[in-house]
Amino acid sequence: MKTIFRNCITVSVLMLMAGGVWAEDQEQPETAPPVRPSDYVFKTIKIEPSPDDGDYVGHFQFINRQTKDVRIFGEGEPIHGKFRPMYVGFETLVDGAWKEIQVGYCGTGAQNFAMKSKEPYEFICGLWAFEEQEAPLTARIKLDGFVSEPFVLDWKKDRAKGAFIDARKRHFEEVRTAFAKAGFKPELLKGDDFCERIFRSMFKATESARDDGFNEFKGKLDVTPYIGLNGNIRMDFRSADITGSSQYFISWVINPDKFSPKWFKNTSRKHVEASQQLNSFVMKLDDGSVSYGPDVHLYLEIRYNSSEGAAKLPTEENAKQLFLKMLDNLEPWLK
C-alpha cells in the first residue's frame, strides 16, 4: 500500500489564510461519520483530465438527506453550490475489495463548512492520489465518512484521444485570459510557458555574485496555476533541493478583478514586509485582505531558508531589498 504526503503548499488554500503554509504534514482531522449511507447522495457528475498530466478532477453531486446540516472540511464557503473539499480519502477496487491509499495532509488552520439539508452541491476534487496504469481503474473517494459511488479512470483511452494535452491547453488559455484581464502585456502571454517566464524574470534578482547572504534560486518552474472558485489564480512552488531541503518556498495569489498595473505601480510597495524567523526569512506583499479571498489584489509570500553554516546570514533589510528587486523585475510585464 503506497503512502502519499501531499505538501501544504500544493494542497490547502486555507494554509495561507491561517499563516501556516509551511507546517509539517499531519493526520487529517476526523469528524463523526453519517449514521446511514441512505442519509446522503454522493454520485459522479463527471470525471475529466486535469491540467496536471496524468491526474484527473472529479465532479460529484452531494446531497445531505439528513434533517440537520453536516459539516465538511473545505477550502472555503460554497460558491453558487460549488465546493472544493479538503482531506479527501482515496480507495481502489482490488480483487473485489476496497483498498485505501494512505495520504497525509497538513491540518493547520483547517475549517469545515455546513452542507445544508436537502440542498444539492457540486464537489470538485482533485484525484491526484490515483497512479496511472494500463488497465481501467475502479475507484471512489471518501469525505468525513461520506463515500462516493464508484467511478472508473481510464488513462490509456484518454491518452489515445489526447485528453490530457487538451485539458492543459484549455486551462492555460483560461489563465492567460485572467492575466490579460489583470493588465499583463498580451505579447508576453504568448505560449503556455508565460508563468515560468514571469517567475524566471522575478528571480533574476537572486542570481549569483551577491553579497547579501542569499543564494541563487535554482530549479524547475513548470508550475501549473490553480484557479479558485472565486476566479483567483494561485501558484505555489519551491526551489530545487540544496543540502536536503528547498531554500525558496513561494506562494502567489492574484485576483484578476482587483489587480491592475496602476495598483501595482502606485500601491504595492506600501504593503511589503520582511521578517526573520530563526534562520528563515519571510518576505510578503500583503495588502491585509484574506490572502485567498475575493478582495485580495496580489498576495505574494516568499520564504527563504538560509543554508546551514552559511558564511553570511541575510538581514531583514537585505530580505526586503531583495523582495523589492523581484517586484521591480515583475513590473515590465505590466501595461
Side-chain angles (χ1 to χ4, degrees), residues 146-161:
F146 301 100
V147 183
S148 77
E149 294 180 356
F151 52 87
V152 176
L153 304 178
D154 193 337
W155 286 272
K156 187 175 181 179
K157 180 186 72 175
D158 288 329
R159 287 209 178 279
K161 62 183 183 182

Side-chain angles (χ1 to χ4, degrees), residues 83-152:
F83 182 71
R84 291 188 185 271
M86 293 168 56
Y87 309 123
V88 180
F90 305 92
E91 293 185 337
T92 58
L93 189 62
V94 180
D95 297 329
W98 289 104
K99 302 293 184 182
E100 182 179 2
I101 299 173
Q102 295 297 319
V103 297
Y105 290 102
C106 178
T108 308
Q111 290 181 274
N112 56 26
F113 299 90
M115 304 295 113
K116 298 184 182 300
S117 174
K118 310 298 191 297
E119 190 166 316
Y121 295 91
E122 181 180 344
F123 285 1
I124 304 173
C125 306
L127 305 178
W128 44 267
F130 298 115
E131 288 189 348
E132 184 168 348
Q133 60 179 47
E134 279 291 309
L137 176 71
T138 300
R140 67 185 188 184
I141 63 171
K142 300 172 70 175
L143 290 165
D144 301 323
F146 301 100
V147 183
S148 77
E149 294 180 356
F151 52 87
V152 176

